[in-house]
mmCIF file of all heavy atoms in Angstrom:
data_model
loop_
_atom_site.group_PDB
_atom_site.id
_atom_site.type_symbol
_atom_site.label_atom_id
_atom_site.label_comp_id
_atom_site.label_asym_id
_atom_site.label_seq_id
_atom_site.Cartn_x
_atom_site.Cartn_y
_atom_site.Cartn_z
ATOM 1 N N LYS A 26 36.659 -21.390 0.363
ATOM 2 C CA LYS A 26 35.938 -21.524 -0.882
ATOM 3 C C LYS A 26 34.700 -20.629 -0.886
ATOM 4 O O LYS A 26 34.020 -20.492 0.126
ATOM 5 C CB LYS A 26 35.519 -22.990 -1.032
ATOM 6 C CG LYS A 26 35.206 -23.421 -2.396
ATOM 7 C CD LYS A 26 35.016 -24.932 -2.370
ATOM 8 C CE LYS A 26 34.688 -25.428 -3.735
ATOM 9 N NZ LYS A 26 34.456 -26.863 -3.714
ATOM 10 N N ILE A 27 34.404 -20.043 -2.041
ATOM 11 C CA ILE A 27 33.166 -19.293 -2.205
ATOM 12 C C ILE A 27 32.166 -20.224 -2.880
ATOM 13 O O ILE A 27 32.417 -20.758 -3.952
ATOM 14 C CB ILE A 27 33.385 -18.016 -3.039
ATOM 15 C CG1 ILE A 27 34.349 -17.078 -2.317
ATOM 16 C CG2 ILE A 27 32.061 -17.327 -3.301
ATOM 17 C CD1 ILE A 27 34.689 -15.826 -3.088
ATOM 18 N N LEU A 28 31.047 -20.432 -2.244
ATOM 19 C CA LEU A 28 30.037 -21.383 -2.708
ATOM 20 C C LEU A 28 28.963 -20.646 -3.515
ATOM 21 O O LEU A 28 27.837 -20.464 -3.068
ATOM 22 C CB LEU A 28 29.423 -22.109 -1.514
ATOM 23 C CG LEU A 28 30.423 -22.769 -0.567
ATOM 24 C CD1 LEU A 28 29.727 -23.268 0.686
ATOM 25 C CD2 LEU A 28 31.138 -23.903 -1.266
ATOM 26 N N TRP A 29 29.307 -20.211 -4.715
ATOM 27 C CA TRP A 29 28.438 -19.381 -5.538
ATOM 28 C C TRP A 29 27.079 -20.011 -5.806
ATOM 29 O O TRP A 29 26.044 -19.409 -5.487
ATOM 30 C CB TRP A 29 29.115 -19.073 -6.879
ATOM 31 C CG TRP A 29 30.274 -18.159 -6.767
ATOM 32 C CD1 TRP A 29 31.586 -18.518 -6.696
ATOM 33 C CD2 TRP A 29 30.236 -16.742 -6.664
ATOM 34 N NE1 TRP A 29 32.370 -17.402 -6.571
ATOM 35 C CE2 TRP A 29 31.564 -16.288 -6.554
ATOM 36 C CE3 TRP A 29 29.221 -15.800 -6.660
ATOM 37 C CZ2 TRP A 29 31.898 -14.958 -6.445
ATOM 38 C CZ3 TRP A 29 29.559 -14.464 -6.560
ATOM 39 C CH2 TRP A 29 30.875 -14.055 -6.455
ATOM 40 N N ILE A 30 27.081 -21.168 -6.407
ATOM 41 C CA ILE A 30 25.828 -21.798 -6.834
ATOM 42 C C ILE A 30 24.956 -22.141 -5.628
ATOM 43 O O ILE A 30 23.759 -21.845 -5.609
ATOM 44 C CB ILE A 30 26.101 -23.066 -7.674
ATOM 45 C CG1 ILE A 30 26.931 -22.737 -8.912
ATOM 46 C CG2 ILE A 30 24.809 -23.782 -8.030
ATOM 47 C CD1 ILE A 30 26.234 -21.799 -9.880
ATOM 48 N N LYS A 31 25.566 -22.729 -4.636
ATOM 49 C CA LYS A 31 24.825 -23.119 -3.434
ATOM 50 C C LYS A 31 24.217 -21.890 -2.754
ATOM 51 O O LYS A 31 23.059 -21.907 -2.326
ATOM 52 C CB LYS A 31 25.777 -23.845 -2.488
ATOM 53 C CG LYS A 31 25.121 -24.614 -1.401
ATOM 54 C CD LYS A 31 26.170 -25.422 -0.645
ATOM 55 C CE LYS A 31 25.546 -26.270 0.418
ATOM 56 N NZ LYS A 31 26.539 -27.024 1.172
ATOM 57 N N ALA A 32 24.988 -20.814 -2.659
ATOM 58 C CA ALA A 32 24.502 -19.589 -2.013
ATOM 59 C C ALA A 32 23.385 -18.948 -2.825
ATOM 60 O O ALA A 32 22.362 -18.526 -2.274
ATOM 61 C CB ALA A 32 25.651 -18.609 -1.812
ATOM 62 N N LEU A 33 23.550 -18.868 -4.139
ATOM 63 C CA LEU A 33 22.513 -18.271 -4.983
ATOM 64 C C LEU A 33 21.221 -19.079 -4.940
ATOM 65 O O LEU A 33 20.131 -18.506 -4.853
ATOM 66 C CB LEU A 33 23.008 -18.141 -6.425
ATOM 67 C CG LEU A 33 24.062 -17.060 -6.667
ATOM 68 C CD1 LEU A 33 24.603 -17.165 -8.085
ATOM 69 C CD2 LEU A 33 23.502 -15.679 -6.396
ATOM 70 N N LEU A 34 21.332 -20.404 -4.993
ATOM 71 C CA LEU A 34 20.134 -21.242 -4.925
ATOM 72 C C LEU A 34 19.412 -21.089 -3.589
ATOM 73 O O LEU A 34 18.179 -21.082 -3.535
ATOM 74 C CB LEU A 34 20.489 -22.702 -5.176
ATOM 75 C CG LEU A 34 20.874 -23.049 -6.616
ATOM 76 C CD1 LEU A 34 21.321 -24.504 -6.710
ATOM 77 C CD2 LEU A 34 19.731 -22.773 -7.568
ATOM 78 N N ASN A 35 20.163 -20.947 -2.520
ATOM 79 C CA ASN A 35 19.544 -20.738 -1.207
ATOM 80 C C ASN A 35 18.878 -19.374 -1.126
ATOM 81 O O ASN A 35 17.849 -19.213 -0.470
ATOM 82 C CB ASN A 35 20.564 -20.930 -0.098
ATOM 83 C CG ASN A 35 20.718 -22.377 0.276
ATOM 84 O OD1 ASN A 35 19.989 -22.880 1.114
ATOM 85 N ND2 ASN A 35 21.654 -23.072 -0.364
ATOM 86 N N GLY A 36 19.447 -18.369 -1.783
ATOM 87 C CA GLY A 36 18.813 -17.058 -1.842
ATOM 88 C C GLY A 36 17.510 -17.097 -2.612
ATOM 89 O O GLY A 36 16.506 -16.493 -2.206
ATOM 90 N N ILE A 37 17.512 -17.838 -3.728
ATOM 91 C CA ILE A 37 16.288 -17.998 -4.516
ATOM 92 C C ILE A 37 15.229 -18.713 -3.678
ATOM 93 O O ILE A 37 14.069 -18.303 -3.642
ATOM 94 C CB ILE A 37 16.584 -18.769 -5.822
ATOM 95 C CG1 ILE A 37 17.442 -17.908 -6.754
ATOM 96 C CG2 ILE A 37 15.299 -19.212 -6.510
ATOM 97 C CD1 ILE A 37 18.008 -18.658 -7.937
ATOM 98 N N ILE A 109 24.995 -21.672 4.930
ATOM 99 C CA ILE A 109 25.921 -21.758 3.796
ATOM 100 C C ILE A 109 27.331 -21.336 4.207
ATOM 101 O O ILE A 109 28.316 -21.954 3.825
ATOM 102 C CB ILE A 109 25.437 -20.874 2.625
ATOM 103 C CG1 ILE A 109 24.158 -21.423 2.041
ATOM 104 C CG2 ILE A 109 26.500 -20.734 1.537
ATOM 105 C CD1 ILE A 109 24.287 -22.785 1.423
ATOM 106 N N ILE A 119 31.358 -13.192 2.657
ATOM 107 C CA ILE A 119 31.070 -13.141 1.225
ATOM 108 C C ILE A 119 29.996 -14.167 0.869
ATOM 109 O O ILE A 119 29.044 -13.859 0.148
ATOM 110 C CB ILE A 119 32.352 -13.384 0.396
ATOM 111 C CG1 ILE A 119 33.321 -12.234 0.589
ATOM 112 C CG2 ILE A 119 32.027 -13.581 -1.077
ATOM 113 C CD1 ILE A 119 34.696 -12.466 0.018
ATOM 114 N N ASN A 120 30.137 -15.379 1.382
ATOM 115 C CA ASN A 120 29.131 -16.411 1.125
ATOM 116 C C ASN A 120 27.773 -16.014 1.681
ATOM 117 O O ASN A 120 26.734 -16.285 1.074
ATOM 118 C CB ASN A 120 29.576 -17.755 1.700
ATOM 119 C CG ASN A 120 30.610 -18.441 0.843
ATOM 120 O OD1 ASN A 120 30.419 -18.603 -0.344
ATOM 121 N ND2 ASN A 120 31.725 -18.827 1.437
ATOM 122 N N VAL A 122 26.607 -12.913 2.072
ATOM 123 C CA VAL A 122 26.053 -11.832 1.253
ATOM 124 C C VAL A 122 25.570 -12.370 -0.098
ATOM 125 O O VAL A 122 24.568 -11.894 -0.634
ATOM 126 C CB VAL A 122 27.087 -10.693 1.078
ATOM 127 C CG1 VAL A 122 26.609 -9.667 0.068
ATOM 128 C CG2 VAL A 122 27.366 -10.023 2.413
ATOM 129 N N ILE A 123 26.241 -13.375 -0.626
ATOM 130 C CA ILE A 123 25.811 -13.953 -1.907
ATOM 131 C C ILE A 123 24.409 -14.551 -1.793
ATOM 132 O O ILE A 123 23.634 -14.504 -2.750
ATOM 133 C CB ILE A 123 26.835 -14.990 -2.417
ATOM 134 C CG1 ILE A 123 28.136 -14.293 -2.802
ATOM 135 C CG2 ILE A 123 26.292 -15.763 -3.611
ATOM 136 C CD1 ILE A 123 29.274 -15.228 -3.135
ATOM 137 N N VAL A 124 24.062 -15.059 -0.626
ATOM 138 C CA VAL A 124 22.704 -15.597 -0.429
ATOM 139 C C VAL A 124 21.669 -14.495 -0.646
ATOM 140 O O VAL A 124 20.579 -14.738 -1.163
ATOM 141 C CB VAL A 124 22.558 -16.230 0.978
ATOM 142 C CG1 VAL A 124 21.121 -16.616 1.265
ATOM 143 C CG2 VAL A 124 23.464 -17.441 1.111
ATOM 144 N N VAL A 126 21.867 -12.015 -2.742
ATOM 145 C CA VAL A 126 21.939 -11.412 -4.078
ATOM 146 C C VAL A 126 20.621 -11.519 -4.833
ATOM 147 O O VAL A 126 20.112 -10.515 -5.337
ATOM 148 C CB VAL A 126 23.101 -12.020 -4.903
ATOM 149 C CG1 VAL A 126 22.991 -11.677 -6.371
ATOM 150 C CG2 VAL A 126 24.431 -11.549 -4.352
#
Side-chain angles (χ1 to χ4, degrees):
K26 201 172 180 182
I27 297 177
L28 307 171
W29 290 97
I30 301 297
K31 196 173 183 181
L33 288 172
L34 289 175
N35 276 273
I37 291 169
I109 293 297
I119 293 170
N120 283 308
V122 172
I123 292 172
V124 172
V126 166

